[in-house]
Each structure stands twice: as structure tokens, then as C-alpha cells.
Amino acid sequence: MKRKLLSLTFLLVVSFCTSQDNSKIIDSLKKIIKSKPSDSLKIKAYGDLCWYYRTISSDSAFKYGKLALKLSKKNNNKVGEAQAYNDLGILHYDLADYNEALQHYTASLKIRNTLNDTLGLAALYNKIGLVHQNTFKLDSAIFYATKALKIYESKNNTRYVSYIKSNIANIYRGLKQYKKALETHLEIAEANKSTNDNLGLTRSYNNIANAYLHLKDTIQSEVYYLKSINIAKTYNYKKELATLYNNYGGLLRDMQEYNKSLNYNIEALKIREALKDNYGITSSTLRLATLNIDLKRLNKAQNYLYSGLNLAEKYNLNELKIDAYDKMVIYYTYRKNPDSVMHYRNLFKTLNNSIYNTRITKEVAEIQEKYDTAQKEKEIQTQRAKIAEKELNLNRKNTQIIGLVVLTLSLFVLGYLLYNQQKLKNRQLQKENELKQALSKIETHNKLQEQRLRISRDLHDNIGAQLTFIISSIENLQYGFKITNDKLKDKLTNISAFTKETINELRDTIWAMNKNQITIDDLQARISNFIDKANVSATNLSFNINLDKDISKHLVFTSVKGMNIYRIIQEAVNNAIKHAKASNINVQIENIKHKVIFKIKDDGKGFNINNVDEGNGLINMKKRAADIEAEIVYKSEKEKGTKIILTLNHDH
């Protein structure tokens, strides 16, 4: 009766304590132990004390975890023993003692295998995968994560499926497959929203921000970091908040906001030191070293560097050791110490090659082993054939001759078949390689096009909107206030005109960026559009644009070449209006012997070619012509106008 009462009391205490802080729960669990309950309840209480002491005192957590393990072994309580190994593994993992963590997880795994504890196995597979991930053994990490995922999917456990997919996506990030990682994290975030999993959502937003950062989209990266920080602060997720401060600080560093980045990383280090998160402490310490190098605070950088390197080596954190060696190279470069630079560069190369070549070495060894086995089998078969041949010689000579003939024919047929099969296989491999290359080119082209479209949208939506706002503000100033100062009025008018001209320049740039190729019709239409606008601002001015009848309608230019041609013609027309005071401007486009010739002629006041001091306009036209490998010639005399001839080869 007493045992039943204690069991009920224990369950009520645990249930009630979920709403209290850890210290109250710990006191309640200690009271249960003092009441001398059954060994099974005592094991459970020891295990819970190990867990709740985890964030308060690692020494106490280890003490109760070991007590739970010892008592479980004494009573042959396999469930308790498996749980104790699991809990001790978590404690070692939190301290970045990954070898010990792996040993305890493996011990728990063996027991849970015998118990057929499917969900327990899934949890351990996930933890073992994380150990391998943190030690940068990514092939093992993805192997164990996938094993855990299959179990959770079979049990339809949505929450843990999301967690495991998140870990796998981070492994993709480690393998530099950033787009695949981003797609997975976005999918997981939606699942977290649907289940109101705020902790999962915090981690997902952080992972999404990391993926965007690797894809060079700093705007989206900052948005998701700040979203994640807000949730972590709201629900007091300290470990996640430290990670977020560290990551967001890295983004601020990329944006060259070094002091702001320094503050976030200092906060991250404080939280991680309070949590005794050795991996996090090492990461933040190295990050602070980098920031102090950026700020040229080399003495502070040195302290952080050696501290971070010692921690990385102590806990065998390969990825962070690589980072530390890399930062040492930069630090000693600033210190102008070539010996130390060479020393740490060699350490960096050695460890980096070791990590990435281990798997390849293993695969080569496996192939060699298979080859050696095949060779031995071949030797045995050869020996057997010789013995059979001798026996045939002794017994039946005629049969031997017939057998040899049959064998020769068989080998010939077999060799012919194998030759044809290999030939077919080689053709198939060649076609597959050609297809892969074609797909790779298409994918690269599509990515470039997407990038160009995104940049052009950003230019149009952001810069265009800002310039329009400037024009609107100036007009409001002009009409909303009675400005009597003529100089100020002229200044505002000039700013407005310059801004409108900038918008037109921006639109021309976006026009070129949105096209892979620019046809002669596109170019004619753009020049005509520019001339129409120039007609509005100029009086008594006549423009003409003529295409030679031999010009092919299929003639195209690359977007870069087309834009430069347009800019050269635009500059020539502007010079004719503003400086030459021309009344007539003619643009002639001709096609002569596989060359396209653009002639811009005006009847302005002209200039002396030999004495002219080339301004920005002529220099810009020459530079643009050189960029597209074209030839540009100026012909001008005073009071006889100017003629500019641009000659270039066909693109097609």
C-alpha cells in the first residue's frame, strides 16, 4: 500500500511541477528520494534530477545521472539503464565532449535495440547524427538522421519529423547545397506554424536566415533573424537566443556594422557561458576574434584567437579548428609574421583535406579490396582450368580438341558480346554526360536570368520609388511654399531635372538587364524613344534615324553590347544638343561586309580634333567602344559640324 501511495505521490508531484521553476521541481524530487521509495521510483527520480540540474549545475547533473545508472544496473532495470546512458550522453554533448557523448549514446542504443524501443531508437539516431554533424562527419550525420526520420514518419510524429528534416537541411548547408537547405527549412517553418511549435519555428527562422545569407540575400536573411530573435525573447529560449545573436552578429559584420556586431556577439558569449555550452563558447570566441581583427584591435583579437583555438582542440571541434586556423593566418598577416602565417596555413590545409578526403579514401579502399578479391578468384579459376586441361590430356585427346574448339568459339562469342555491351555502355555514358552538361548550362543560364530579373526588380521598386519620392518632395516644396530666392528655385529645378534624368537612365539600365539579347529593332525603338524625349526639351531641332536596307531584322547584340551602343549614341546626341547647338541630327545604321556601322552626324559648331581637351563625354564613348571591342572615330571641324562613326562586328 505504501509503495502504491508513493507512486501516486510521485506522479502528482511531477505533473504539478511542470508549472513551477526547476529549483522547486528539484526540491520535490529530493523529498521523494528521502521518503525511501521503491528502486524503480528512485531511478526515475535520479533521472529527472539529472535532467533538471542540466541547466543549473553540470556536476550535480552528472552525480544523479550516474546514481540512476548504478541503481539500474544493480536491479537489472534495462529501461532505466538505457535512459541513464542517454541522459549522461546529453550532458557530455552539451559540454562538447563528443567522444564521451557518442559512447554513452551507443551504449543506450544497444539496450534499446533489445527492448524494441522504436521511438527511443529514433531519438538516439538523431542525437548520434548531431554528434557527427558537429564533428563535421557529414556522411555519417546524414545516415543516422535519415534512420531517425524513417521511424518518426512511420509513427506519423509530425513534430519530430520537422526537427529531423531541419537537421538534415543543416547537413545540406554543410555540404554547400544552400538552395536545397532553404527549400527544406521553409517547408519545416510552415509545419511548425500549423502545430504552434514556437521553439521549432524559432529554429526554422534561424536556419532560413542562414540559408538566405549563404545565397547572398542579406535583406531576407536579416528579416528572418529578427523574427526568430523576437520569438526567442518572448519565450525565453536562451540557447536559441545565443545562437541567433551570434548569427545576426555575423550578418552585421558582413554589412560592415562592426561595433553593433561586436555587441551582439558579446551577448551571445555571455549566454553560452551561463549555459556552459562549450561548442557555442568556442564559436562566439572565434567570432569575437574576427571582429577585433576587423577593428584592428590586434591584442584583443590575439586573446580571443588563442582561447577559441584551445577550446576547439580540447573538444576536437574540427569545423571550428579549421575556422581558428584560418583566422590565425589573417591575424599573423597583420602582424607581418610570415613563419606563423605559413604554419597555420599548413594546419588549415591539412585538416581541411583530411575532412573532405576521408570519404574518398574509404571508397578507394573498398574498390581496391573488391579488385583484389576478383583477382584472387581469377587466379583460382585459372588453376582449375589447368588441372582440367591436364586431366583431359590424359583421358581423351579427341575430346580435348573438340572442347578447345568449343571453348574458343564460346570465348569469342562471349568476348564479342562483352565488347558490344561495353561499347553500348560507353555510348550511353557519353550521352548521359552530354545531357548533364546541357542541363547544367540551362540551370546556370536560368539562375543568371533569375538574378538579373531580381536585381532589375529591386532597382525598379526600391531606387525608382526613392527617386520618384525625391521629385515629388521637390515639387511639393516648390508649390507648397512661396520661395522668393531665385537661386534656391533654380537649384530645386536643377535637382528635379537631374533626378528625372537619373530615372530615365535607370529605366534604360533595367531595359537592358531584362533582355538576354537586344535586336536591331529594340535598339531603333530605344533610340527613337530617346530622340522623342530630346525633341520635347529642344526647340528648332530636327532628328532623323535611318536604317540601311541591308540591315537584317534578325541582327542581335548581347545585352551588354546593345546597352553600350545605345549609350554611345545617346552621349553623341546629348553633346550635339548641349555643346554643339546643332539644328539637325542624323543617325544612320549601315551593314557593310559583316560589320555594323553607326553614324551620328550633326550640323553644330564643331571643334578642332587636334586641339580639343577631351571631356567626360568623349572619354566615356571611347571606353564603352573599347569594352565591346568596337572602333570609334571622331570627324569634326569648326562651324562644319561633327560626325561620329562607331564600327563593330556582328554578334551573329
Side-chain angles (χ1 to χ4, degrees):
M1 182 68 185
K2 184 178 180 182
R3 182 172 292 183
K4 290 182 179 178
L5 182 61
L6 284 170
S7 299
L8 180 60
T9 304
F10 177 76
L11 292 172
L12 288 171
V13 168
V14 173
S15 174
F16 174 73
C17 287
T18 54
S19 61
Q20 303 179 45
D21 60 25
N22 287 358
S23 60
K24 290 182 179 179
I25 296 173
I26 287 169
D27 290 340
S28 300
L29 290 166
K30 286 182 176 179
K31 285 179 183 178
I32 291 170
I33 293 170
K34 286 180 180 178
S35 66
K36 297 182 179 179
S38 65
D39 283 348
S40 60
L41 283 177
K42 193 180 285 187
I43 290 168
K44 179 70 170 65
Y46 283 152
D48 287 344
L49 281 168
C50 173
W51 178 260
Y52 287 111
Y53 264 122
R54 178 178 164 225
T55 57
I56 298 173
S57 168
S58 59
D59 290 339
S60 297
F62 274 114
K63 171 188 170 184
Y64 285 107
K66 289 175 181 178
L67 285 172
L69 180 61
K70 183 178 179 180
L71 190 57
S72 297
K73 286 183 175 180
K74 180 182 175 183
N75 287 273
N76 198 28
N77 185 332
K78 293 299 180 183
V79 173
E81 189 179 346
Q83 187 61 47
Y85 276 126
N86 178 80
D87 293 343
L88 289 168
I90 292 171
L91 294 177
H92 283 294
Y93 179 87
D94 288 342
L95 295 172
D97 190 355
Y98 296 123
N99 287 331
E100 283 293 326
L102 193 58
Q103 288 179 20
H104 283 81
Y105 289 152
T106 304
S108 181
L109 189 69
K110 289 178 181 177
I111 298 169
R112 285 182 171 170
N113 257 320
T114 62
L115 297 172
N116 292 322
D117 180 3
T118 309
L119 289 175
L121 289 172
L124 283 165
Y125 288 144
N126 178 45
K127 294 183 182 90
I128 292 170
L130 289 172
V131 169
H132 288 305
Q133 187 176 339
N134 284 350
T135 53
F136 218 58
K137 297 172 182 174
L138 300 183
D139 51 347
S140 298
I142 203 163
F143 172 78
Y144 283 102
T146 304
K147 290 189 75 168
L149 180 62
K150 287 179 180 177
I151 294 174
Y152 285 128
E153 285 179 337
S154 69
K155 298 293 183 181
N156 200 25
N157 192 322
T158 308
R159 184 173 184 178
Y160 282 99
V161 165
S162 295
Y163 283 157
I164 303 300
K165 283 186 176 180
S166 180
N167 291 339
I168 292 173
N170 285 330
I171 296 170
Y172 286 137
R173 178 171 61 85
L175 293 168
K176 300 182 181 180
Q177 297 181 26
Y178 304 125
K179 192 171 182 181
K180 195 169 183 179
L182 175 61
E183 291 170 356
T184 306
H185 285 311
L186 287 168
E187 177 188 335
I188 294 164
E190 291 303 316
N192 290 332
K193 279 184 187 178
S194 65
T195 57
N196 294 319
D197 182 1
N198 292 309
L199 178 60
L201 192 59
T202 303
R203 292 169 177 168
S204 290
Y205 282 160
N206 177 44
N207 290 326
I208 290 167
N210 290 337
Y212 272 123
L213 188 59
H214 284 295
L215 291 168
K216 311 299 182 187
D217 191 341
T218 54
I219 295 173
Q220 286 297 322
S221 181
E222 184 172 25
V223 167
Y224 278 97
Y225 277 140
L226 293 175
K227 279 184 178 182
S228 191
I229 288 171
N230 185 47
I231 300 172
K233 281 183 176 179
T234 302
Y235 294 97
N236 198 28
Y237 299 143
K238 289 185 179 178
K239 189 169 184 178
E240 284 69 25
L241 192 59
T243 301
L244 285 162
Y245 282 159
N246 188 72
N247 293 348
Y248 185 46
L251 174 63
L252 292 170
R253 176 181 176 259
D254 292 341
M255 297 165 69
Q256 298 185 350
E257 297 185 28
Y258 298 117
N259 287 314
K260 195 173 177 183
S261 174
L262 199 66
N263 292 333
Y264 271 100
N265 279 282
I266 289 170
E267 287 301 314
L269 182 58
K270 287 178 182 177
I271 296 171
R272 285 171 165 175
E273 286 175 339
L275 294 173
K276 296 184 179 179
D277 175 7
N278 290 325
Y279 184 94
I281 292 168
T282 308
S283 175
S284 290
T285 302
L286 291 172
R287 183 67 62 85
L288 286 167
T290 304
L291 285 164
N292 279 287
I293 290 172
D294 292 335
L295 293 167
K296 304 298 186 295
R297 301 172 184 172
L298 298 183
N299 290 333
K300 282 189 175 182
Q302 182 183 20
N303 294 334
Y304 282 121
L305 267 175
Y306 278 100
S307 177
L309 179 57
N310 289 336
L311 288 169
E313 289 176 339
K314 178 180 178 181
Y315 298 112
N316 195 29
L317 307 176
N318 287 335
E319 186 177 9
L320 295 181
K321 272 198 280 187
I322 288 176
D323 185 44
Y325 294 150
D326 185 43
K327 298 301 181 294
M328 282 291 191
V329 171
I330 298 169
Y331 167 76
Y332 278 111
T333 301
Y334 277 111
R335 288 292 195 191
K336 298 180 179 178
N337 187 334
D339 291 339
S340 295
V341 169
M342 186 63 66
H343 172 70
Y344 285 106
R345 184 175 289 162
N346 288 335
L347 288 176
F348 174 88
K349 287 181 180 177
T350 302
L351 183 56
N352 191 57
N353 291 339
S354 171
I355 289 171
Y356 285 103
N357 291 341
T358 299
R359 186 174 180 182
I360 295 170
T361 304
K362 182 180 177 183
E363 289 175 354
V364 169
E366 289 174 353
I367 292 168
Q368 184 65 44
E369 184 179 351
K370 289 177 182 177
Y371 175 78
D372 291 341
T373 303
Q375 286 293 99
K376 288 177 182 177
E377 289 178 354
K378 187 176 180 181
E379 288 175 7
I380 292 169
Q381 288 174 357
T382 303
Q383 290 174 1
R384 286 176 179 173
K386 286 179 179 179
I387 293 168
E389 185 179 352
K390 287 179 181 179
E391 289 176 353
L392 286 171
N393 281 329
L394 293 171
N395 296 325
R396 297 180 184 176
K397 289 185 179 181
N398 291 334
T399 307
Q400 179 189 15
I401 295 170
I402 295 170
L404 286 172
V405 171
V406 172
L407 180 62
T408 303
L409 288 173
S410 299
L411 288 173
F412 175 78
V413 172
L414 181 62
Y416 179 75
L417 291 173
L418 288 173
Y419 171 77
N420 278 344
Q421 185 179 3
Q422 187 61 40
K423 194 174 180 181
L424 183 63
K425 187 177 180 181
N426 289 340
R427 286 178 184 170
Q428 186 178 357
L429 287 172
Q430 185 180 356
K431 288 182 179 178
E432 287 177 359
N433 287 333
E434 289 173 356
L435 180 60
K436 284 180 182 177
Q437 289 175 1
L439 290 173
S440 177
K441 287 181 181 178
I442 292 169
E443 185 179 357
T444 302
H445 179 269
N446 289 340
K447 285 180 180 177
L448 288 172
Q449 184 64 14
E450 288 174 7
Q451 185 73 355
R452 288 166 61 184
L453 289 173
R454 185 177 67 77
I455 293 170
S456 66
R457 279 199 305 272
D458 288 346
L459 287 172
H460 182 272
D461 295 344
N462 297 331
I463 299 175
Q466 291 171 7
L467 292 172
T468 304
F469 175 75
I470 291 171
I471 294 171
S472 176
S473 299
I474 292 170
E475 290 177 350
N476 288 338
L477 284 173
Q478 288 176 324
Y479 296 109
F481 298 92
K482 294 180 179 179
I483 299 172
T484 57
N485 189 317
D486 291 337
K487 287 184 178 180
L488 180 58
K489 280 182 180 180
D490 292 341
K491 192 70 175 176
L492 289 172
T493 302
N494 290 337
I495 292 170
S496 178
F498 175 76
T499 307
K500 288 174 181 177
E501 185 177 344
T502 303
I503 289 176
N504 290 331
E505 296 286 335
L506 180 63
R507 285 172 178 163
D508 289 337
T509 302
I510 293 171
W511 165 74
M513 286 182 68
N514 282 337
K515 290 179 175 292
N516 286 328
Q517 295 176 323
I518 296 176
T519 66
I520 197 71
D521 287 340
D522 290 334
L523 199 56
Q524 182 185 8
R526 204 70 190 176
I527 295 168
S528 298
N529 184 45
F530 164 69
I531 289 173
D532 289 342
K533 289 178 182 177
N535 264 322
V536 173
S537 59
T539 57
N540 300 321
L541 192 60
S542 174
F543 285 101
N544 288 299
I545 180 167
N546 298 307
L547 264 73
D548 190 62
K549 62 181 181 179
D550 294 330
I551 289 288
S552 171
K553 293 295 181 181
H554 301 293
L555 180 62
V556 295
F557 305 98
T558 64
S559 59
V560 172
K561 188 172 285 189
M563 190 60 185
N564 277 297
I565 293 168
Y566 171 69
R567 290 296 191 204
I568 290 169
I569 295 171
Q570 187 184 45
E571 185 70 40
V573 173
N574 277 332
N575 287 343
I577 296 171
K578 293 179 181 178
H579 304 299
K581 308 297 182 185
S583 300
N584 294 286
I585 300 172
N586 293 305
V587 177
Q588 181 74 26
I589 305 175
E590 300 175 354
N591 185 14
I592 301 174
K593 294 182 179 178
H594 303 292
K595 293 183 182 291
V596 184
I597 302 173
F598 297 85
K599 296 179 180 177
I600 307 97
K601 184 178 179 182
D602 67 68
D603 62 353
K605 59 186 182 182
F607 59 89
N608 189 327
I609 294 289
N610 297 320
N611 296 329
V612 69
D613 182 14
E614 291 188 352
N616 287 334
L618 296 180
I619 291 171
N620 285 340
M621 284 192 283
K622 280 187 175 181
K623 185 177 182 302
R624 290 185 182 279
D627 287 344
I628 59 175
E629 298 179 349
E631 180 185 354
I632 189 165
V633 177
Y634 307 110
K635 295 182 179 179
S636 182
E637 292 183 34
K638 285 203 171 186
E639 308 305 330
K640 291 187 178 181
T642 300
K643 187 175 184 179
I644 296 173
I645 303 169
L646 177 69
T647 306
L648 68 159
N649 294 322
H650 287 189
D651 279 8
H652 293 286

